[in-house]
Amino acid sequence: MDPKPPLPPFTPETAAQKVRLAEDAWNSRDPNRVAQVYTEQNVLLQSIDKHLPRF
């Protein structure tokens, strides 16, 4: 799977765009579309994040 724009490094505008695209895919409830916005790195970061302390 090739990465889709916007690509890092992100500006505040492109970061917001990337989040909106992921939210739109998730809200579509289409499993194929949702899977396209999640990479192995996303899954790894989410698994690490759940073990970090909250302040």
Side-chain angles (χ1 to χ4, degrees), residues 1-2 8-9 14 16 20 22 26 34 36 38-39 42 44 51-52 54:
M1 179 184 334
D2 293 328
T14 59
R20 174 58 61 198
W26 181 263
V34 172
Q36 290 178 1
Y38 287 94
T39 64
N42 292 114
L44 175 63
H51 297 290
L52 294 175
R54 301 287 180 222

Side-chain angles (χ1 to χ4, degrees), residues 10-23:
F10 295 112
T11 65
E13 293 80 19
T14 59
Q17 180 185 15
K18 186 78 168 184
V19 169
R20 174 58 61 198
L21 291 169
E23 289 174 342

Side-chain angles (χ1 to χ4, degrees), residues 30-43:
D30 176 1
N32 293 324
R33 190 170 170 203
V34 172
Q36 290 178 1
V37 297
Y38 287 94
T39 64
E40 290 179 26
Q41 183 179 9
N42 292 114
V43 174

